[in-house]
Amino acid sequence: MAVLAVLVSVLTAGASGETAGSVVRDNLNGEDVRLTLPTGSGPPKGLVIWFHGQGGGVNDKIDGPFLRTLTREGYAIASSEFHLQAWGNAETTDDTVRLTEWAEEQVGMPVLLWVSGSMGGATSLNAMLHGATPPTCWYGVKPAISLNRMDEVPTATRFIQLAYGPVVPADRNPVRNVADLPAEVRYRVVASPDDPWVPIDENGGALVSQLDARGVDVSYLAATGIHEDPSHFDSADLLAFANSCASEPAADSAFD
């Protein structure tokens, strides 16, 4: 495994008897990046990119139970600042391209899965739409993709205006461009019908219905409660989806 970055540290959060994974850190064009290697001593079984939500950063949720499930089961996870609250603008697409190239060089394998949370849905889908190499699979937790309808999310409107100016360009509003998302990617959406901040019919539901109408492999897991309800972060479902992406043809998916 080629480790070319400037700093490697060791995680201490592993369970008793585990060999904790190491963390590789670097800075790419001004954005902090991180690669969290899997628990244990073997090579990674897959490479995942995590796209944080509004208020997150390079370390967001990486060491928490949701994503730690992946590292404990053999996956490496790459993450970036993604210009913090930039809502999928052009700079975040450039960040995605740089992070992908860097992480793939570290582990010697292509990215398998993108996982996104809330604003990260816009960041990741816009990257797919604007030149980043798409992954085999995409997993969106409460994806916020209707950028002109984010008034209920605290401070989102202000950050979206800072990222884009007064008007979000039509080609950067993911909900308007689902028809152009790559059909070869397998998609899974986790969202709650009771989410008042990111209404399901304008965001995750719109994504599912439009992809399904195109015949794209997309599945949906119903969460419950408000935007911050813990049911959105189903680590068992995430791991099962990742494993299916790593080992099963799309036609044999258990998530249809």
Side-chain angles (χ1 to χ4, degrees):
M1 183 182 305
V3 178
L4 306 178
V6 296
L7 177 63
V8 179
S9 59
V10 177
L11 290 174
T12 58
S16 177
E18 288 182 350
T19 301
S22 59
V23 176
V24 184
R25 297 183 184 271
D26 207 339
N27 186 283
L28 304 179
N29 202 41
E31 298 301 296
D32 288 338
V33 296
R34 167 177 173 166
L35 177 67
T36 306
L37 296 170
T39 297
S41 57
K45 65 190 293 185
L47 176 59
V48 177
I49 292 182
W50 163 246
F51 294 82
H52 67 75
Q54 181 175 286
V58 69
N59 300 311
D60 179 55
K61 290 185 169 56
I62 298 294
D63 299 321
F66 180 59
L67 295 176
R68 192 188 305 147
T69 297
L70 292 181
T71 55
R72 283 180 167 168
E73 294 296 326
Y75 293 93
I77 303 177
S79 55
S80 169
E81 296 282 279
F82 291 115
H83 280 76
L84 298 177
Q85 331 308 332
W87 281 93
N89 66 8
E91 286 81 4
T92 68
T93 295
D94 291 342
D95 294 337
T96 304
V97 172
R98 292 188 183 95
L99 177 66
T100 299
E101 293 174 348
W102 175 79
E104 289 181 343
E105 186 175 22
Q106 308 310 305
V107 300
M109 64 178 60
V111 171
L112 172 72
L113 170 65
W114 288 2
V115 182
S116 66
S118 194
M119 180 194 76
T123 305
S124 57
L125 293 183
N126 273 348
M128 267 196 224
L129 289 162
H130 290 277
T133 300
T136 301
C137 296
W138 179 91
Y139 190 99
V141 179
K142 52 188 179 182
I145 64 169
S146 183
L147 301 195
N148 291 327
R149 303 293 297 274
M150 285 293 122
D151 297 10
E152 299 303 318
V153 179
T155 70
T157 299
R158 178 169 65 88
F159 283 123
I160 290 170
Q161 289 178 347
L162 287 172
Y164 291 105
V167 178
V168 177
D171 67 345
R172 284 278 167 182
N173 192 1
V175 75
R176 297 186 59 179
N177 298 283
V178 176
D180 295 323
L181 288 171
E184 66 272 17
V185 176
R186 289 177 53 204
Y187 300 84
R188 186 156 176 81
V189 173
V190 182
S192 168
D194 302 315
D195 182 348
W197 287 3
V198 180
I200 193 170
D201 59 331
E202 300 168 6
N203 293 275
L207 179 61
V208 170
S209 61
Q210 292 182 54
L211 287 173
D212 185 65
R214 292 173 52 199
V216 176
D217 188 339
V218 58
S219 57
Y220 166 65
L221 175 66
T224 59
I226 64 174
H227 193 68
E228 296 304 311
D229 193 278
S231 67
H232 289 91
F233 296 100
D234 188 324
S235 57
D237 184 75
L238 174 62
L239 177 60
F241 186 68
N243 286 341
S244 75
C245 294
S247 61
E248 297 179 10
D252 296 332
S253 171
F255 294 88
D256 294 333

